[in-house]
Amino acid sequence: GNSVTQMEGPVTLSEEAFLTINCTYTATGYPSLFWYVQYPGEGLQLLLKATKADDKGSNKGFEATYRKETTSFHLEKGSVQVSDSAVYFCALSRVTRGSYIPTFGRGTSLIVHP
Amino acid sequence: EAEVAQSPRYKITEKSQAVAFWCDPISGHATLYWYRQILGQGPELLVQFQDESVVDDSQLPKDRFSAERLKGVDSTLKIQPAELGDSAMYLCASSLARAGAYNEQFFGPGTRLTVL
């Protein structure tokens, strides 16, 4: 079946440090890939997406590149801020019977210290 | 700004009782999702609707869970009877696109269920 594997957290960084959160996937066909973020006390919201191989999604200084050869979609940011502290979920969406069916990873908690 | 509404926000019940959750998606959104999120894990899709029809309910425990979206707008998820293992956050999400198109999901705040 389809699955998403994320690195375990929490990831703890100092402000302005470089961030990488690893995500790999298993899926049939050509899924679309997403990163969602959940800030404390809030619902999940889409951070960025990529719909085909070699696409790069970007938003708010975060980036991720769809790598089909390594089945990966790692999240990166060059300089994190305290306000980036949240839980990050990698997800894929595959077409089944004409509709996109989503699968989420377990989430990675990011804690950024001043 | 349009949001997905869910109620109640918190629910405490005893095992073997029935519980129901309600979700009102963003107006005009054709697709509606119900997820269960156990603490420390990612959301697990329970059921996905396209308008009033079920697209996927392969992970829904149908012996105790039921979901409906009768008019293709708001939706209700029911558990009867509730078990201790059902304690979790129940999330609703909606998306604009119809079948065959990419859909960004918009999530509601969730209902936290505690079964005693």
Side-chain angles (χ1 to χ4, degrees):
Chain A
N2 300 298
S3 65
V4 175
T5 302
Q6 294 182 232
M7 62 188 290
E8 289 200 22
V11 173
T12 304
L13 296 172
S14 296
E15 204 164 25
E16 299 183 2
F18 185 85
L19 168 71
T20 300
I21 300 178
N22 291 336
C23 171
T24 58
Y25 68 89
T26 301
T28 55
Y30 300 93
S32 295
L33 301 174
F34 309 87
W35 277 100
Y36 281 81
V37 59
Q38 186 171 29
Y39 297 105
E42 299 183 14
L44 277 78
Q45 55 187 276
L46 180 66
L47 180 61
L48 53 84
K49 69 182 187 294
T51 57
K52 61 182 187 295
D54 300 324
D55 266 4
K56 177 185 283 189
S58 61
N59 186 26
K60 299 181 181 180
F62 291 89
E63 293 183 338
T65 301
Y66 189 143
R67 301 287 189 197
K68 188 164 179 61
E69 64 276 14
T70 55
T71 62
S72 65
F73 193 55
H74 304 322
L75 182 69
E76 297 182 336
K77 187 175 185 182
S79 177
V80 293
Q81 305 300 311
V82 173
S83 58
D84 293 327
S85 298
V87 181
Y88 293 82
F89 294 92
C90 185
L92 67 82
S93 191
R94 57 176 172 83
V95 176
T96 300
R97 297 186 297 277
S99 292
Y100 280 79
I101 308 296
T103 301
F104 282 79
R106 296 173 61 95
T108 302
S109 174
L110 170 65
I111 301 169
V112 181
H113 294 294
Chain B
E1 184 176 309
E3 295 180 342
V4 176
Q6 288 188 247
S7 67
R9 293 292 306 275
Y10 304 91
K11 180 69 178 180
I12 300 174
T13 191
E14 293 184 347
K15 64 179 181 179
S16 79
Q17 296 298 304
V19 292
F21 313 131
W22 177 78
C23 173
D24 191 14
I26 293 173
S27 178
H29 279 198
T31 305
L32 185 146
Y33 311 79
W34 281 104
Y35 293 90
R36 176 171 58 190
Q37 185 178 19
I38 296 171
L39 190 64
Q41 298 185 20
E44 173 194 20
L45 181 68
L46 293 175
V47 60
Q48 179 174 339
F49 289 93
Q50 179 76 48
D51 299 311
E52 67 276 4
S53 301
V54 173
V55 172
D56 187 277
D57 63 356
S58 56
Q59 301 302 311
L60 186 72
K62 298 181 185 64
D63 57 334
R64 298 185 299 107
F65 286 64
S66 64
E68 60 183 16
R69 194 185 183 199
L70 293 177
K71 298 182 178 179
V73 182
D74 59 339
S75 175
T76 302
L77 177 70
K78 298 179 181 178
I79 308 174
Q80 182 174 18
E83 296 180 354
L84 296 177
D86 296 331
S87 295
M89 179 74 84
Y90 290 83
L91 301 171
C92 180
S94 70
S95 64
L96 179 63
R98 296 185 178 279
Y102 158 70
N103 38 110
E104 173 183 350
Q105 298 178 63
F106 295 83
F107 283 81
T111 296
R112 170 73 67 186
L113 173 67
T114 302
V115 181
L116 303 175

